[in-house]
Amino acid sequence: MSTDTETRGTLGRLRASPFLADLLTNRLAVVGLTIILGMAAVAIYARVTYDLGALAGSQLGTEIADRAPPGWLGPAPANQQLFGTDAAARDIYKRSLYGAWLALKFGTITVGTSTTVGVGLGIIAAYYGDVTDNVIMRTMDVLLAFPPLLLALALVAIFPRDLGLWRAVVALVLVYTPRFARVVRGAALKVLEDEYVDATVALGATDPRVLVRHILPNTLAPITVQSTLNFGLAIIDLAALSFLGFGAQAGTPSWGLMLSRGVENGLLTGEWWLSFFPGLFLAITVLGFNLLGDGMRDALDPRMRDAID
Amino acid sequence: MNWTQFLFRLAEPVVPPRFVIKRLLLLIPVLFGVASVVFAILHLAPGDPAVIIAGQRASAEQLEQIRVELGLRRPLWEQYLTFLWDAARFDFGQSYSISRGNSVRSVISDRLPITLELAIYGQAAGILLGLPLGIISAVKQDSLTDHVTRIGALTGISVPIFWSGPLLILLFSTYLDVFPTSGRIASTLFLPDTWTLFGRELPLTGMITVDTILLGNTEAFLSAAHHLFLPAVVIGVYSTALISRMMRSSMLEVIRQDYIRTARAKGQGAKITLMKHGFRNALIPVVTVIGIQFGTLLGGAVLTETVFGINGMGLTIVTAIGVSDYPVVQGTVLTFALLFTLVNLFVDVTYSYLDPRIQQ
Amino acid sequence: MAQSGDPPRLRQYVAARARLVGSGLVVGLVLGGLGTAGWTLYTGDVRSSEATVFALGALVFGFGLLGWSGSILAGRGIEAMQEHMGTRSNWTERDSRRAMARLCGGGGGIMVGTSVVAALL
């Protein structure tokens, strides 16, 4: 399956590689992609339609009943909500939809930042080698050795509380960056082994030019796979930190926080809708990213595959 | 031949004691390393310990007095060295708030076995179910079994513990009432602090399913198992999914390698080839991966304890960070790090047994 | 391992390691000293800047120590596993250990540097 890159340029290389073809024949990956696109549509819809302030504020004291079951269950009272209401009489349906926006937004920020920083570090480490490589990669190795959620917890303890979800984002960026650095460094080293980089350097190309024009495009595929797999992880970890009380601030319609309130308020009384719907959205979204990521990894050139964990 | 001789016989040819001792000695720098990081976290973290202890309304003199008592007015290098010395003796003083007045050491010795028990059941499920599933999936690549296993494992890692846990509680505890919602044993049962073996009183382990067996108390054991069932299922499914995925990919890697093909060409049956060459070689990365994965499992234990209200290390660290009970945070972080290192040390030794080239 | 009955070799052994840690230490001393001075100029509080810089030094030191022992603990295993899996990588235990020794020296230097500067200020 190895690709002999006869063609030049990112597009040509993409077209020539069996990566896209394999990806499309992999039905699970297509299912994953559909889920992600659907969730993105939901997120944008919620962002445009609903007002965050209204979703966050308590509705107690209005005519809406608190902890009302989903409207399609049992006898219908005057006002019904599709997913029921929570302990503060807020509409779980609207909040779950808005949760998609928050999850994708903060997931993108987390993964985007760690990808950018990791790619930078990895390529620099691979290209310059020697002491630079050692200092960067060994530091990354130590960070990688810590259990992810526990490292994030310890980091969260350092940051001031009023940062809210940003506290979780920064902690997770520090946790994920080493993975990208490692993948990119591995991929970049393989590109550097190819002779044409030597040839371009011999022809007088300067450092940044070689890095951007030749190494970066060739490492795009493994970076994309790692980002996709990490996106699922980021969403689940952000929710976990919110669930544990170190993420979103009270009232925010984030899935993790809604689940934590659901456990607090509805577990023993059997009000399952408090935790069922936000968790369902969360699990489906994460599954979407994992399906796509897995499919992409299978479609990836085997030489690049072993760099990804 | 007595037992010790037998054990040495058993261990001698595979893993030389020097190899193990060298690694055990490395635990000392690991401990100091973690202690330094914990010291840093403590001093970088927002919040004044004196305010946390005395409360917001304490007077300036009171606060100053507490700071002097805690040693916060001494030079930093002195605080640092004192802290390292305390960490070496595993003495972190007393808890500020979550277990006020109790030493951190006693808090940890109470709660560590609870988490260990959960983690052991999770890890056991992962190894007993995850390994075979991963192997079958790899050997029968692209068959229906493979697809089902892969989708199952993918779902297993996608469904968060803090969703599957509450749903199980809702279904089996709240609605069907077949399992308890939280706790470790029926509240009517009381366990003694010690158990007797050949007339000698010995301390209990703190792992409730083990203790009830040691005490020979069937009723208590059943109650403990009953309580532990749902949390163990939640963490077990998670760990099975993680391990089967890793086992599959590393087994595929091995199958692709040349020597298996060579062995087949020499006419060995497929099954024998697999057992003789594939399994042992696939186990090498898997053993390493199990060690690394143990960290993820500890993260899973933190979430499981929070969901099921099990008062182990996970719930302790979460509560302690929440209320800035720093001595407890220090102690628990250090314990987690040591635990993680010990498991990886064990993995390393197993690993060198599987691949003797490493011992050198 | 060093042989104690062999002074020249012992000296060599120690010197090589001292140079490694020492280079980090010097960088750390400068960083710690300048950091504390700069931070104090910015915040005006010697005590809190010393605490922050010292804690950062302890973080770097602890991190290095963890990495150092970690690379010895898992180093051979990682090397052998990469060889086994046929992954091309030039990760070696030696490089990792040396990088971490430098980091340890740096962290130690920061702690000493900030203490000295804070005492002077």
Side-chain angles (χ1 to χ4, degrees):
Chain A
M1 241 185 29
S2 85
T3 43
D4 289 313
T5 42
E6 298 270 341
T7 34
R8 289 275 176 266
T10 321
L11 252 181
R13 210 171 285 124
L14 260 182
R15 219 176 283 136
S17 81
F19 184 72
L20 272 184
D22 276 2
L23 193 60
L24 286 173
T25 51
N26 187 333
R27 259 176 273 159
L28 288 182
V30 175
V31 173
L33 189 63
T34 316
I35 294 177
I36 296 167
L37 291 178
M39 211 43 93
V42 166
I44 293 167
Y45 168 78
R47 174 73 179 80
V48 173
T49 322
Y50 305 133
D51 171 42
L52 179 60
L55 292 181
S58 167
Q59 301 293 315
L60 287 175
T62 59
E63 73 270 32
I64 306 164
D66 62 313
R67 304 178 195 223
W72 37 271
L73 276 178
N79 46 59
Q80 302 176 337
Q81 269 71 33
L82 192 58
F83 292 170
T85 58
D86 66 8
R90 292 174 296 210
D91 187 342
I92 293 178
Y93 169 73
K94 288 180 188 165
R95 284 170 64 82
S96 294
L97 294 196
Y98 203 89
W101 167 256
L102 291 178
L104 291 181
K105 176 184 161 196
F106 285 97
T108 309
I109 295 171
T110 310
V111 175
T113 316
S114 35
T115 309
T116 316
V117 180
V119 166
L121 289 175
I123 287 189
I124 289 171
Y127 189 77
Y128 292 100
D130 207 27
V131 182
T132 320
D133 185 18
N134 268 320
V135 171
I136 295 178
M137 292 319 291
R138 297 304 80 85
T139 312
M140 296 293 123
D141 288 343
V142 179
L143 276 175
L144 273 172
F146 288 105
L149 190 64
L150 295 181
L151 178 59
L153 272 180
L155 288 169
V156 150
I158 307 181
F159 305 130
R161 206 154 297 186
D162 44 332
L163 283 178
L165 246 176
W166 291 106
R167 181 161 76 134
V169 169
V170 177
L172 289 177
V173 164
L174 281 168
V175 174
Y176 295 147
T177 299
R179 301 176 191 213
F180 287 100
R182 194 168 62 168
V183 169
V184 172
R185 177 180 172 274
L189 278 179
K190 277 170 185 141
V191 177
L192 282 171
E193 274 170 24
D194 292 350
E195 284 164 28
Y196 73 90
V197 171
D198 289 341
T200 27
V201 174
L203 286 172
T206 47
D207 284 358
R209 199 181 140 84
V210 175
L211 288 178
V212 174
R213 292 291 292 273
H214 298 281
I215 301 181
L216 194 60
N218 282 289
T219 51
L220 271 182
I223 293 171
T224 319
V225 177
Q226 184 73 12
S227 304
T228 314
L229 285 168
N230 252 69
F231 217 112
L233 267 179
I235 290 179
I236 221 172
D237 283 348
L238 280 169
L241 287 176
S242 288
F243 179 82
L244 294 174
F246 305 116
Q249 269 155 342
T252 316
S254 92
W255 292 331
L257 200 62
M258 291 170 77
L259 270 167
S260 130
R261 291 289 169 272
V263 168
E264 224 167 85
N265 298 318
L267 211 52
L268 304 180
T269 42
E271 282 139 351
W272 54 269
W273 55 92
L274 296 186
S275 24
F276 180 78
F277 294 107
L280 186 68
F281 273 76
L282 173 59
I284 288 178
T285 313
V286 175
L287 185 65
F289 280 105
N290 283 339
L291 281 171
L292 182 65
D294 252 30
M296 284 166 92
R297 181 168 50 186
D298 286 348
L300 198 64
D301 182 340
R303 288 199 311 157
M304 297 289 185
R305 198 182 300 156
D306 47 56
I308 295 169
D309 38 24
Chain B
M1 181 158 58
N2 65 25
W3 266 103
T4 19
Q5 277 174 327
F6 174 72
L7 281 177
F8 270 111
R9 263 279 175 80
L10 209 65
E12 203 171 30
V14 274
V15 184
R18 223 192 109 186
F19 180 83
V20 180
I21 290 169
K22 189 179 165 194
R23 268 150 184 77
L24 280 174
L25 280 178
L26 277 169
L27 282 181
I28 298 167
V30 168
L31 182 104
F32 281 120
V34 178
S36 299
V37 174
V38 168
F39 177 85
I41 289 179
L42 177 77
H43 283 263
L44 293 174
D48 184 345
V51 178
I52 295 160
I53 295 177
Q56 295 286 353
R57 265 176 263 154
S59 67
E61 294 92 67
Q62 277 176 312
L63 290 179
E64 190 55 33
Q65 196 195 336
I66 292 172
R67 282 192 200 109
V68 172
E69 273 171 26
L70 289 175
L72 294 174
R73 284 288 175 239
R74 284 180 293 158
L76 271 158
W77 58 268
E78 204 182 317
Q79 289 184 44
Y80 177 65
L81 292 180
T82 319
F83 181 78
L84 288 189
W85 174 235
D86 286 345
R89 292 175 300 144
F90 223 83
D91 176 11
F92 296 98
Q94 296 190 337
S95 157
Y96 291 168
S97 55
I98 65 167
S99 179
R100 201 168 195 146
N102 286 322
S103 73
V104 173
R105 203 189 295 177
S106 76
V107 171
I108 288 171
S109 65
D110 280 352
R111 298 180 183 187
L112 182 61
I114 302 177
T115 302
L116 275 183
E117 190 174 28
L118 199 59
I120 289 171
Y121 283 119
Q123 192 74 284
I127 292 170
L128 292 179
L129 298 172
L131 287 190
L133 279 176
I135 294 171
I136 295 170
S137 199
V139 174
K140 301 192 169 182
Q141 194 188 359
D142 292 328
S143 70
L144 183 68
T145 327
D146 180 28
H147 289 313
V148 172
T149 313
R150 284 184 69 189
I151 295 176
L154 212 58
T155 316
I157 59 161
S158 303
V159 170
I161 284 179
F162 48 96
W163 185 50
S164 57
L167 290 189
L168 286 178
I169 295 178
L170 277 163
L171 181 62
F172 290 107
S173 311
T174 314
Y175 282 102
L176 300 176
D177 202 19
V178 286
F179 286 107
T181 47
S182 64
R184 301 174 67 217
I185 196 161
S187 51
T188 49
L189 293 169
F190 291 98
L191 297 182
D193 290 335
T194 55
W195 63 294
T196 351
L197 183 72
F198 303 128
R200 265 192 295 175
E201 295 232 321
L202 295 168
L204 284 170
T205 59
M207 298 186 207
I208 203 151
T209 47
V210 178
D211 286 350
T212 48
I213 291 177
L214 293 179
L215 291 166
N217 187 339
T218 321
E219 190 199 356
F221 172 75
L222 289 177
S223 169
H226 192 204
H227 280 77
L228 199 63
F229 186 78
L230 285 185
V233 165
V234 169
I235 200 160
V237 167
Y238 180 62
S239 142
T240 304
L242 275 178
I243 291 187
S244 77
R245 271 168 65 85
M246 285 165 183
M247 189 69 211
R248 179 182 182 272
S249 61
S250 84
M251 196 73 190
L252 279 179
E253 196 76 34
V254 172
I255 290 175
R256 258 187 241 121
Q257 274 167 8
D258 293 335
Y259 54 91
I260 297 256
R261 266 182 243 140
T262 320
R264 272 201 178 153
K266 279 196 286 183
Q268 286 185 356
K271 270 190 185 150
I272 301 173
T273 319
L274 201 86
M275 288 317 290
K276 271 175 80 176
H277 302 277
F279 189 65
R280 197 177 161 120
N281 279 293
L283 223 51
I284 292 174
V286 159
V287 167
T288 316
V289 152
I290 286 179
I292 298 164
Q293 193 263 109
F294 185 76
T296 318
L297 194 73
L298 284 180
V302 171
L303 292 166
T304 312
E305 285 175 13
T306 317
V307 170
F308 288 91
I310 299 169
N311 209 356
M313 296 283 286
L315 194 56
T316 306
I317 196 173
V318 169
T319 328
I321 293 177
V323 298
S324 306
D325 192 340
Y326 290 121
V328 176
V329 175
Q330 291 162 22
T332 39
V333 168
L334 202 71
T335 314
F336 268 130
L338 276 183
L339 195 64
F340 184 66
T341 318
L342 274 174
V343 167
N344 278 291
L345 190 118
F346 178 73
V347 163
D348 199 40
V349 173
T350 319
Y351 184 50
S352 71
Y353 164 73
L354 289 169
D355 189 356
R357 274 177 305 172
I358 298 156
Q359 291 167 14
Q360 52 98 39
Chain C
M1 280 291 134
Q3 282 159 19
S4 41
D6 203 352
R9 277 188 63 187
L10 178 68
R11 194 179 302 155
Q12 234 174 1
Y13 178 86
V14 173
R17 271 140 195 84
R19 216 172 299 131
L20 211 60
V21 178
S23 66
L25 197 76
V26 173
V27 176
L29 271 172
V30 176
L31 274 180
L34 285 180
T36 313
W39 202 273
T40 311
L41 280 179
Y42 180 67
T43 59
D45 183 1
V46 187
R47 224 188 156 76
S48 81
S49 20
E50 185 202 1
T52 311
V53 178
F54 192 94
L56 286 174
L59 190 68
V60 174
F61 176 77
F63 197 80
L65 203 55
L66 274 176
W68 180 80
S69 30
S71 30
I72 301 176
L73 263 176
R76 300 275 168 197
I78 297 176
E79 273 179 38
M81 190 171 97
Q82 279 174 340
E83 193 186 309
H84 172 92
M85 306 276 283
T87 320
R88 280 275 202 89
S89 153
N90 51 5
W91 195 96
T92 60
E93 189 218 314
R94 186 167 172 271
D95 284 346
S96 179
R97 241 183 326 112
R98 291 164 68 96
M100 286 304 151
R102 279 216 182 85
L103 218 53
C104 263
I110 295 177
M111 288 193 276
V112 176
T114 185
S115 299
V116 170
V117 171
L120 294 176
L121 284 174

